[in-house]
């Protein structure tokens, strides 16, 4: 279990993480929040890139600062990834396995297995500089699996992936993450909905939500409406229209309102719950 | 068993550092094993006097050898400094970065020793000259490590090393009988171990700077 107890992080006077507290058990967690809300900062604290995590984060009851092999049990995909571009794919994976303390024998098997996961086996002898952006991203995902880590952190893993590869990523996580603690930081609520049982939403440096996907959806219960745009005049009070789309030759609006409307409220999604928090409904 | 594993892992990393540098990794070796010997042969043939030839080689060696001692550090650690996702490497920096960098310097000095050992068969004072160059190289290494960690820019580090070399060569014919930090460049031959004493501060300053470097706060990650 990964526990965060009163984690603070400031950049100068700016408070980015404000006394964060949470307990993360095995399973997949979605980390949501607007740009600049501190998602990457939190992940960097969890990787000990920022030293604030040393005394405020605990793994299996031991603070990360006192734990010797924590980093060897951690798989991490940073927001940007493109290391050792002059190496071949196999060599780069070998280097990262080496740095992570994965044994030579284990690394050989792991490299092939990880590349197979992301469908890059045929590129094993290619130079990284010759790969496309999406392939490099997939390589980044593959390296996070090296050494079969217990804790996995992904910072916007599906950014730059095509729809098929996004689906593949989701299926990899679903298949492999049962006994691991996986945190996926993303802007794509769809990915979170498909993958995560629990959600952390960061707002103003604090966890605005730390709960199940159902709990997030319930935050928008009886607040979400979907109406034809011809009925717009009938909306009462403060509201937030966040989607305008066409359905059966009809323009429709989806909006949030805390005030009771004359329309029937629709079943909320995680996106609705997220928007309710962000827009203070 | 434990140390054996550590050594194997270290060796594997070194090989990969060199592969990552590609053709750039050969440049210091070309300088040491091709350029300097050609220069030595040229001076011996031109001067017909080994003392004069040794004097010339000392002058050029002090420009070339320390400068290229940081080459593998700068280009081998390129990804730690400017690579996309360098945080993946930096988060593990304390456990291996410094030893790996020292090993790269050690390999360079071993290569330099081989060349100067060969020179010593036909030119005087070459092994003592190697000792001087090794001490100056440690200063360059410390300086480059420090600036690399502080600025996290390859260009800035490379320029500083270049400027420091130029600064020193412009101080030609200084009296090096006394400690002259930050100067190191000298026409004087090292005739005995005692003459190396003036370079001890260079050596310790280099070791100090290199030791402090990994402890410097990372501009991007603090």
């Amino acid at each position: 279990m990964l526990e965060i107890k009163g984690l603070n992080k400031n950049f100068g006077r700016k408070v980015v993480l404000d006394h964060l507290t949470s307990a993360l058990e095995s399973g997949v967690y979605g980390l949501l929040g607007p740009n600049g809300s501190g998602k990457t900062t939190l992940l960097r604290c969890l990787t000990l890139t920022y030293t604030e995590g040393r005394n405020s984060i605990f793994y299996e009851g031991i603070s990360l600062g006192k734990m010797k092999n924590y980093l060897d049990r951690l798989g991490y995909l940073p927001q940007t990834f493109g290391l050792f571009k002059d190496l071949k794919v196999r060599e780069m994976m070998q280097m990262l396995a080496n740095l992570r303390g994965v044994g030579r024998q284990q690394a050989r098997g792991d490299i092939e297995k990880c590349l197979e996961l992301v469908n890059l086996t045929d590129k094993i002898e290619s130079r990284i500089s010759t790969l496309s952006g999406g392939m490099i991203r997939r390589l980044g995902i593959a390296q996070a699996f090296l050494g079969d880590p217990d804790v996995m952190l992904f910072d916007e893993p599906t950014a730059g992936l095509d729809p098929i590869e996004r689906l593949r990523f989701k299926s990899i996580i679903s298949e492999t993450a049962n006994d691991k603690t996986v945190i996926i930081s993303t802007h794509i609520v769809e990915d979170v909905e498909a993958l995560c049982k629990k959600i952390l939403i960061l707002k103003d440096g604090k966890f605005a939500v730390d709960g199940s996907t159902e709990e997030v959806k319930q935050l928008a219960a009886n607040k979400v409406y979907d109406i034809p745009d011809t009925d717009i005049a009938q909306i009462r009070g403060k509201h937030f229209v966040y989607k305008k789309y066409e359905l059966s030759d009809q323009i429709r609006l989806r909006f949030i309102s805390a005030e009771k409307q004359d329309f029937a409220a629709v079943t909320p999604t995680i996106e609705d719950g997220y928007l309710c928090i962000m827009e203070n409904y | 068993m434990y140390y054996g594993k550590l050594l194997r892992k270290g060796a594997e990393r070194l090989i990969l550092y060199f592969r990552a540098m590609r053709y750039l990794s050969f440049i210091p070796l070309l300088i040491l094993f091709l350029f300097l010997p050609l220069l030595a042969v040229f001076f011996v043939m031109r001067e017909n006097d080994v003392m004069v030839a040794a004097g010339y080689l000392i002058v050029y060696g002090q420009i070339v050898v320390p400068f290229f001692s940081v080459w593998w550090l700068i280009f081998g650690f390129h990804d730690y400094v400017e690579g996309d996702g360098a945080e993946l490497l930096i988060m593990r920096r304390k456990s291996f970065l410094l030893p790996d960098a020292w090993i790269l310097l050690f390999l360079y000095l071993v290569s330099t020793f081989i060349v100067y050992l060969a020179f010593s068969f036909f030119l005087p004072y070459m092994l003592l000259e190697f000792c001087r160059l090794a001490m100056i190289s440690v200063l360059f290494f410390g300086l480059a490590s420090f600036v690399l960690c502080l600025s996290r820019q390859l260009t800035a580090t490379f320029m500083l090393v270049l400027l420091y070399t130029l600064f020193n060569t412009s101080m030609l014919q200084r009296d090096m009988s006394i400690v002259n930090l930050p100067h190191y460049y000298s026409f004087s031959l090292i005739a005995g171990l005692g003459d190396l004493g003036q370079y001890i501060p260079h050596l310790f300053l280099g070791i100090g700077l290199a030791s402090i470097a990994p402890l410097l706060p990372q501009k991007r990650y603090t």
Side-chain angles (χ1 to χ4, degrees):
Chain A
M1 185 203 267
L2 203 56
E3 285 175 281
I4 304 168
K5 292 181 184 171
L7 175 65
N8 294 303
K9 173 72 190 169
N10 302 344
F11 290 115
R13 284 186 196 167
K14 194 182 176 220
V15 179
V16 180
L17 301 179
D18 186 7
H19 214 73
L20 287 189
T21 298
S22 183
L24 311 172
E25 291 171 357
S26 301
V28 186
Y29 289 79
L31 179 60
L32 293 172
N35 290 330
S37 59
K39 298 188 296 297
T40 298
T41 305
L42 172 59
L43 294 187
R44 284 179 180 168
C45 288
L46 285 163
T47 63
L48 295 179
T49 306
Y50 294 144
T51 50
E52 283 79 355
R54 294 175 66 84
N55 299 318
S56 309
I57 302 175
F58 299 78
Y59 185 63
E60 290 171 347
I62 306 167
S63 73
L64 298 191
K66 286 182 185 161
M67 210 169 166
K68 279 187 180 168
N69 60 347
Y70 168 72
L71 290 176
D72 295 343
R73 298 167 73 176
L74 177 80
Y76 176 47
L77 170 69
Q79 207 167 32
T80 55
F81 177 82
L83 292 168
F84 302 113
K85 284 187 174 153
D86 285 318
L87 286 181
K88 291 176 180 172
V89 167
R90 180 181 43 77
E91 291 169 336
M92 189 278 278
M93 293 288 276
Q94 219 175 314
M95 178 68 119
L96 293 177
N98 180 309
L99 297 180
R100 192 170 297 165
V102 181
R104 219 178 145 85
Q105 290 298 327
Q106 193 195 341
R108 269 186 208 153
D110 262 15
I111 290 169
E112 284 178 19
K113 209 170 82 184
C114 295
L115 291 175
E116 204 179 314
L117 273 179
V118 297
N119 197 21
L120 279 178
T121 314
D122 57 329
K123 299 286 178 191
I124 193 162
E125 293 301 328
S126 304
R127 278 198 200 283
I128 293 162
S129 54
T130 64
L131 302 183
S132 69
M135 284 177 184
I136 291 177
R137 197 72 193 146
R138 278 150 60 195
L139 190 58
I141 293 168
Q143 63 78 29
F145 282 91
L146 281 170
D148 193 22
D150 301 320
V151 179
M152 301 189 77
L153 311 173
F154 295 95
D155 201 349
E156 299 188 21
T158 54
L161 294 189
D162 63 39
I164 293 171
E165 290 306 330
R166 269 177 66 191
L167 282 173
R168 182 188 284 271
F169 173 74
K170 288 177 199 172
S171 96
I172 295 167
I173 295 293
S174 311
E175 283 166 23
T176 55
N178 293 333
D179 52 344
K180 302 177 193 297
T181 304
V182 181
I183 303 177
I184 299 171
S185 162
T186 181
H187 292 290
I188 307 168
V189 182
E190 219 177 277
D191 288 349
V192 171
E193 202 148 17
L195 279 172
C196 309
K197 287 184 181 142
K198 296 202 173 162
I199 293 179
L200 304 163
I201 300 181
L202 268 172
K203 188 184 178 190
D204 301 327
K206 292 178 192 293
F207 283 134
V209 172
D210 177 358
S212 67
T213 49
E214 273 314 306
E215 282 167 11
V216 177
K217 286 177 188 172
Q218 282 311 305
L219 292 169
N222 300 316
K223 292 179 185 170
V224 187
Y225 301 91
D226 198 315
I227 60 166
D229 75 334
T230 47
D231 293 346
I232 193 163
Q234 293 174 45
I235 302 176
R236 278 204 303 263
K238 191 186 164 206
H239 62 279
F240 173 61
V241 179
Y242 67 90
K243 203 187 269 178
K244 193 174 182 180
Y245 65 100
E246 203 175 324
L247 185 74
S248 313
D249 292 334
Q250 192 182 46
I251 306 287
R252 296 190 68 83
L253 304 174
R254 193 172 173 104
F255 70 96
I256 306 170
S257 174
E259 223 164 288
K260 182 84 184 132
Q261 304 287 331
D262 292 335
F263 319 105
V266 297
T267 311
T269 61
I270 290 178
E271 191 177 24
D272 299 323
Y274 174 75
L275 287 168
C276 277
I277 294 160
M278 289 305 144
E279 299 297 326
N280 297 317
Y281 279 93
Chain B
M1 182 75 179
Y2 172 76
Y3 289 105
K5 194 180 165 192
L6 213 64
L7 273 174
R8 277 197 300 278
K9 280 189 164 297
E12 185 184 54
R13 275 202 306 277
L14 287 176
I15 292 167
L16 291 169
Y17 286 138
F18 283 112
R19 283 195 186 154
M21 283 188 271
R22 297 183 76 184
Y23 60 88
L24 284 176
S25 63
F26 297 111
I27 297 204
L29 298 178
L30 286 175
I31 296 293
L32 290 175
F33 290 102
L34 193 68
F35 176 72
L36 279 181
L38 282 176
L39 211 60
V41 171
F42 170 74
F43 288 135
V44 169
M45 287 173 70
R46 193 184 70 175
E47 302 302 329
N48 275 326
D49 180 338
V50 286
M51 279 304 284
V52 181
Y56 275 116
L57 195 65
I58 281 166
V59 168
Y60 287 98
Q62 282 178 64
I63 299 171
V64 168
V65 174
F67 180 79
F68 282 96
S69 68
V70 297
W71 189 270
W72 288 337
L73 172 78
I74 292 176
F75 293 103
F77 284 78
H78 161 262
D79 281 278
Y80 290 86
V81 181
E82 293 180 347
D84 289 335
E87 58 187 291
L88 250 185
L89 309 173
I90 288 165
M91 66 194 220
R92 294 178 164 86
R93 65 187 179 268
K94 280 172 191 155
S95 55
F96 63 84
L97 188 58
L98 191 62
D100 283 7
W102 277 110
I103 290 168
L104 286 177
L105 176 70
F106 176 74
L107 290 178
Y108 178 79
L109 292 180
V110 168
S111 310
T112 313
F113 175 74
I114 293 167
V115 175
Y116 275 76
L117 182 67
F119 288 164
S120 71
F121 291 117
F122 59 99
L123 291 171
Y125 306 116
M126 283 296 121
L127 289 179
L128 285 168
E129 180 58 19
F130 163 75
C131 295
R132 164 160 66 183
L133 290 173
M135 289 159 109
I136 300 167
S137 295
V138 171
L139 173 66
F140 267 69
F141 174 78
L143 195 67
S145 309
F146 190 82
V147 179
L148 201 61
C149 288
L150 192 68
S151 68
R152 304 207 60 76
Q153 285 179 353
L154 292 184
T155 319
T157 310
F158 199 78
M159 286 308 292
L160 185 103
V161 172
L162 188 65
L163 287 172
Y164 184 58
T165 311
L166 291 174
F167 162 77
N168 266 282
T169 50
S170 69
M171 299 290 149
L172 203 67
Q173 293 177 328
R174 282 185 61 89
D175 175 14
M176 287 300 289
S177 59
I178 51 162
V179 172
N180 267 319
L181 256 177
H183 308 289
Y184 69 84
Y185 198 54
S186 169
F187 269 0
S188 319
L189 284 164
I190 301 287
L193 282 173
D195 292 347
L196 287 171
Q198 58 198 295
Y199 292 97
I200 288 173
H202 297 73
L203 176 71
F204 282 106
L205 181 63
I207 294 170
L209 286 171
S211 308
I212 296 166
L215 307 175
L216 288 172
Q218 306 287 332
K219 209 166 61 176
R220 268 193 294 175
Y221 303 112
T222 47

